Amino acid sequence: MTAITANTQETDELGWMSSRLKIVDKTPRLIPFVPNPHQERLYALMNLQRRAGFPVRIIILKARQLGISTGVEAYMFARAHLRDHHFAFVCAHNDDASTNLFRMNRRFYEHLPEGEKRKTLHSSRKEIEWAEPHGSRISVQTAGNEHLQRGSTLMDVHCSEVAMWPNPENTMTALLQCVPNSPDTTVIIECTANGIGNEFYRRWVAAVEAKRQNPTDLSGFYPLFIPWVEETSYAGDPPPDYHWGLLTGEESALETLGVTRRQLYWRRGKIKDDFNGSVERFHQEHPFTPDEAFLASGRPAIPHPIIRHHRSCITKPLRARLFWDDDEPNGVGIEYGEFPLHYWQVWQSAETRHDYCIGADVAEGKLSDPNNAQSEPDRSSAIVLDRGRKLYTALFLDRLPPDALAEELLKAAYFWNMAWLGPEANGPGLLTLRVIREENYANIYRREREDDALELAEVDKLGWLTTMKNRDPLIDSWIAACRSDQVNGFSGKLLHHSADMVAEEETFVYNERGKREHRPGGHDDILFAAFIAWEMNLALPRLSPMAQRRRTFDATEMSWEGSVDTAADILGPDTNKAESTV
């Protein structure tokens, strides 16, 4: 059989696939490969890119069990079988997956018509290599080796479940360097979501943004999302006596968008029987939108409803710098502008008769991904909490040295009505605290509980100290303050408007040991500053501006002089009593 040339229409290969290849269906039975609607949609997009003169580059976010991997393998096998010296490579996330994908290719070969089987050198070691003069090869391997296929020239690459790869950045970089930028090459990246902040998520977001900027551009990686409602088998007929009851808010929204009652019935059964009533687990396996897929996956440590609500509240802040000025109240002024560095993000300036806390997380210089020397180091962050409104009103995010950060915190504390100030006392935070103390600022958080009882008795108790004992309660307390309730929803709950903070919420996950921390490559600096500010709010008394001006600080006795006022004294009689002194 003569090889198909590179100029042959893609449809010739697709027709060959349908008439030659065999697959095992869910029954399981050996049946001819007939592309389903999802596979046909993928092939149509391939044809569009190829006919426009571009190499095929597609990134796919999908629900489970749609046949995408099968469709990609059939396509790549056909090209390797029909073209001379055509090298295809498949990379899966673990050994079981790579074994299954190789078996699929071997099945394609073994069930070809006898007269069309080309002689192979071997069909083992997860590789099919055809003898010369054909000389093509298709290889399947497991991700995890950053030198994977380095030095080879690959015409087709299938990257499967990239979000589950170990070290995906280096592996993807190595693979893509092996593929020429030729119109006759193919790279397909396909995956179910596995949280936010990983390599697959970043590539997906970049592809979506590129197409948003230029919807008609077919170059580069084209994003393809396939929701569960597009699978015709995901529907069922309810029994005649089935009682629907009241539709949930999500069910009503889906019905408004065209989802049928048969599909809703299938969805209810799936949630009840397969996911033990967990709607979030259904979202992970069978997403309706890309956002739903990413938010519902990846072992998130912050509940999805909180993240969704906070995302809906994002607003653009003003950039501002604080400066010392004796003519300003409390000796600090503020100026707004498009500052490139060392600025505060401000949603609300300091307001008369409002009481504030400032939590701060001091950078320790750790890499965001310990396994990647090129990853970003952590950042110092400080956040201002309006205690009466339960609203974070300003944010500082930078990589200042600890002593320079101290001055920024001092300016902020004076500006926001002599706010309570709580830098983290871990590591470099000790220098930040020392500078603040040397300036005799009065309202510094002081630890009362002996969470650090193993330390020497005379150790300074200024600042917040995060320990193994208090870390989880710190996180849980913040989540509880943000979570909605059945009566008021999110009304009156702890809130912010920061896109940077939402980004950290999305990548704050449980690691393999069950510890809550940022995903490798992400950050949690803002979150811990926010956690600290909220804990200070719960622990410290409410103080009026008048009391703050009268207060004096005795560095030896750590005692406070002056009156302590309730929230009603500060904000007026309409203040919720539940928000008064704790």
Side-chain angles (χ1 to χ4, degrees), residues 193-364:
N194 186 34
I196 292 172
N198 54 54
E199 178 71 4
F200 176 72
Y201 174 77
R202 288 192 292 269
R203 287 182 175 273
W204 171 264
V205 169
V208 169
E209 179 60 20
K211 293 305 170 283
R212 187 187 69 81
Q213 296 283 351
N214 192 349
T216 61
D217 184 11
L218 290 170
S219 65
F221 276 96
Y222 201 98
L224 174 61
F225 171 66
I226 305 176
W228 70 269
V229 293
E230 291 188 12
E231 171 55 47
T232 56
S233 67
Y234 292 170
D237 293 315
D241 59 347
Y242 183 75
H243 179 63
W244 280 95
L246 290 176
L247 297 184
T248 66
E250 190 171 336
E251 287 174 332
S252 297
L254 289 171
E255 193 169 48
T256 301
L257 294 170
V259 178
T260 67
R261 284 294 175 101
R262 295 184 71 250
Q263 290 173 310
L264 289 179
Y265 177 73
W266 175 88
R267 179 181 181 274
R268 280 189 176 186
K270 202 74 174 175
I271 292 170
K272 176 178 177 291
D273 298 331
D274 289 10
F275 303 116
N276 196 30
S278 173
V279 176
E280 298 298 343
R281 286 174 60 195
F282 178 86
H283 289 166
Q284 177 177 337
E285 302 297 317
H286 302 287
F288 184 72
T289 66
D291 282 350
E292 186 175 273
F294 286 114
L295 283 177
S297 60
R299 301 193 71 199
I302 296 176
H304 311 112
I306 292 176
I307 298 175
R308 282 195 291 268
H309 176 62
H310 289 174
R311 180 190 286 170
S312 72
C313 295
I314 290 174
T315 59
K316 186 177 180 180
L318 295 175
R319 293 187 180 187
R321 282 182 176 168
L322 303 174
F323 58 92
W324 299 111
D325 187 342
D326 290 339
D327 294 331
E328 296 286 345
N330 290 333
V332 178
I334 189 169
E335 59 178 338
Y336 297 94
E338 291 303 313
F339 306 111
L341 293 171
H342 313 319
Y343 58 85
W344 285 82
Q345 300 176 44
V346 178
W347 288 269
Q348 291 184 9
S349 186
E351 297 187 52
T352 304
R353 299 173 62 82
H354 283 236
D355 188 17
Y356 297 93
C357 286
I358 302 176
D361 180 77
V362 185
E364 299 182 55

Side-chain angles (χ1 to χ4, degrees), residues 427-441:
L430 293 173
L431 175 56
T432 303
L433 279 163
R434 188 178 74 187
V435 173
I436 294 171
R437 181 171 181 175
E438 287 173 351
E439 293 297 323
N440 293 319
Y441 184 73

Side-chain angles (χ1 to χ4, degrees), residues 529-546:
F531 298 160
I532 292 168
W534 177 247
E535 194 67 17
M536 291 167 59
N537 171 69
L538 296 179
L540 296 173
R542 295 294 183 88
L543 300 163
S544 73
M546 285 301 296

Side-chain angles (χ1 to χ4, degrees), residues 10-84:
E10 206 86 1
T11 51
D12 292 339
E13 289 169 346
L14 298 180
W16 183 89
M17 289 157 46
S18 300
S19 61
R20 304 296 199 283
L21 302 185
K22 298 287 177 58
I23 61 171
V24 174
D25 67 7
K26 297 177 183 179
T27 314
R29 297 172 301 158
L30 186 68
I31 61 172
F33 172 70
V34 178
N36 66 28
H38 316 301
Q39 295 160 345
E40 288 180 341
R41 182 179 173 187
L42 172 60
Y43 298 150
L45 183 53
M46 289 179 175
N47 276 330
L48 282 175
Q49 285 192 309
R50 198 88 74 192
R51 289 173 180 172
F54 299 114
V56 169
R57 301 289 187 268
I58 300 174
I59 182 167
I60 306 168
L61 174 63
K62 59 188 177 65
R64 298 280 185 184
Q65 300 293 314
L66 299 181
I68 294 299
S69 293
T70 301
V72 176
E73 292 303 302
Y75 172 83
M76 292 179 59
F77 178 87
R79 283 166 59 87
H81 182 79
L82 295 172
R83 297 164 181 252
D84 292 341

Side-chain angles (χ1 to χ4, degrees), residues 83-87 118-122 129-137:
R83 297 164 181 252
D84 292 341
H85 302 103
H86 191 91
F87 303 142
R118 298 181 184 275
K119 183 179 179 181
T120 61
L121 294 178
H122 59 80
E129 184 173 3
W130 284 270
E132 294 290 355
H134 182 51
S136 291
R137 182 176 73 245

